[in-house]
Amino acid sequence: MIEFRDIEIKYNDFIAVKNLNLKIAEGEFFTMLGPSGCGKTTTLRSLVGFVSPTHGSIHVNGKDITQLPVEKRDISMVFQSYALFPTLNVYENIAFGLKVKKMPKEQIEAEVAEIAQKVDLSQAQLRKKVSELSGGQQQRVAIARALVLKPSILVLDEPLSNLDASLRVQLRNELKSLQKKFGITTIYVTHDQEEALTLSDRIAVFNHGAVEQVGTPHEIYSQS
Ligand code: ADP
Ligand code: ADP
């Protein structure tokens, strides 16, 4: 379980997130929803370790991780902009984190093959340069690169918003079934209500740096 306890995050004097308390259950698909600038990404970054809260603490399975460095948190992140290595091929992009961990070559090959199949990337695509792929394929690679590390938490920041509408719906459905298959605790950031509604077990509605409402899609949408 993930717990945000009374989190405040400032950029200089500007309070980007305040009085934030959230509990996210193991295996849950949890979405942070709200307009641009309301503090979703900042909250997500505090979980991953890219920003430090100015107040409060973050706990994972009872352990306080607030001061832990990024690489010790067992969390993988997928960005809106994919953040892949453009000069490496797809295989090398997915394998990158496993190489850093010094996993043996044969095992890396097996892990990459398995994940590529799950996210629907072909053998031919594995040999392509990332720059030769479409946006949707690149985001599949980014998701594969995150999942191949078998993190206990997956976080995604607006992962579909650079894609055109039909691809967005297709990848959304794939993401949902992948999450179910892996049962991985997933935190998802979006400003898109329909995405939040379709994907989430629960949604936190953000406004001006604070959480206004937390509930299932049914609870959120029947009250508004
Ligand atoms: P969201 O993800 O909901 O769009 P963000 O968490 O990115 O919101 O931003 C929340 C607020 O904090 C915004 O007003 C934004 O301009 C500000 N902010 C974000 N990052 C920084 C930063 N590095 N320095 C200063 N202000 C920032
Ligand atoms: P998002 O769409 O996730 O909210 P943005 O496109 O707003 O992100 O921000 C892009 C980058 O600029 C991020 O690294 C964010 O932290 C930073 N940033 C956002 N707002 C500000 C700001 N007011 N001052 C400085 N950096 C900012």
Side-chain angles (χ1 to χ4, degrees), residues 47-60:
L47 175 63
V48 179
F50 296 147
V51 297
S52 293
T54 38
H55 186 270
S57 56
I58 305 170
H59 303 255
V60 174

Side-chain angles (χ1 to χ4, degrees), residues 45-199:
R45 287 189 177 148
S46 72
L47 175 63
V48 179
F50 296 147
V51 297
S52 293
T54 38
H55 186 270
S57 56
I58 305 170
H59 303 255
V60 174
N61 297 330
K63 185 179 166 198
D64 186 341
I65 65 155
T66 321
Q67 306 301 333
L68 271 191
V70 175
E71 64 276 10
K72 296 239 168 96
R73 292 192 185 198
D74 193 21
I75 301 174
S76 286
M77 181 154 182
V78 174
F79 301 86
Q80 177 179 348
S81 56
Y82 321 133
L84 299 167
F85 304 110
T87 60
L88 300 183
N89 71 26
V90 170
Y91 177 90
E92 291 161 339
N93 265 276
I94 299 174
F96 191 85
L98 300 177
K99 278 189 187 156
V100 170
K101 285 184 165 180
K102 304 211 187 311
M103 184 182 276
K105 192 160 176 285
E106 303 71 44
Q107 201 183 339
I108 292 180
E109 283 172 7
E111 298 285 347
V112 173
E114 188 188 331
I115 202 75
Q117 196 195 5
K118 283 188 176 137
V119 303
D120 216 9
L121 285 166
S122 68
Q123 283 297 316
Q125 283 168 335
L126 283 179
R127 286 188 290 273
K128 285 192 175 171
K129 287 252 163 63
V130 160
S131 53
E132 296 172 295
L133 300 181
S134 70
Q137 288 165 343
Q138 289 192 41
Q139 201 52 302
R140 282 202 184 87
V141 176
I143 292 167
R145 184 181 59 173
L147 287 174
V148 82
L149 296 168
K150 300 195 164 84
S152 56
I153 301 167
L154 176 66
V155 307
L156 307 102
D157 189 359
E158 303 262 5
L160 308 182
S161 51
N162 280 346
L163 307 176
D164 64 47
S166 66
L167 204 52
R168 201 149 62 220
V169 170
Q170 188 190 333
L171 253 123
R172 188 173 79 196
N173 294 335
E174 287 176 20
L175 192 60
K176 180 79 188 165
S177 58
L178 262 183
Q179 197 269 344
K180 279 216 153 77
K181 206 183 297 175
F182 280 77
I184 186 171
T185 309
T186 303
I187 326 271
Y188 191 88
V189 161
T190 185
H191 62 268
D192 184 324
Q193 292 203 15
E194 199 191 322
E195 256 179 35
L197 176 68
T198 334
L199 284 169

Side-chain angles (χ1 to χ4, degrees), residues 11 14 16 35-42:
Y11 295 110
F14 175 73
S36 181
C38 66
K40 308 178 300 290
T41 295
T42 299

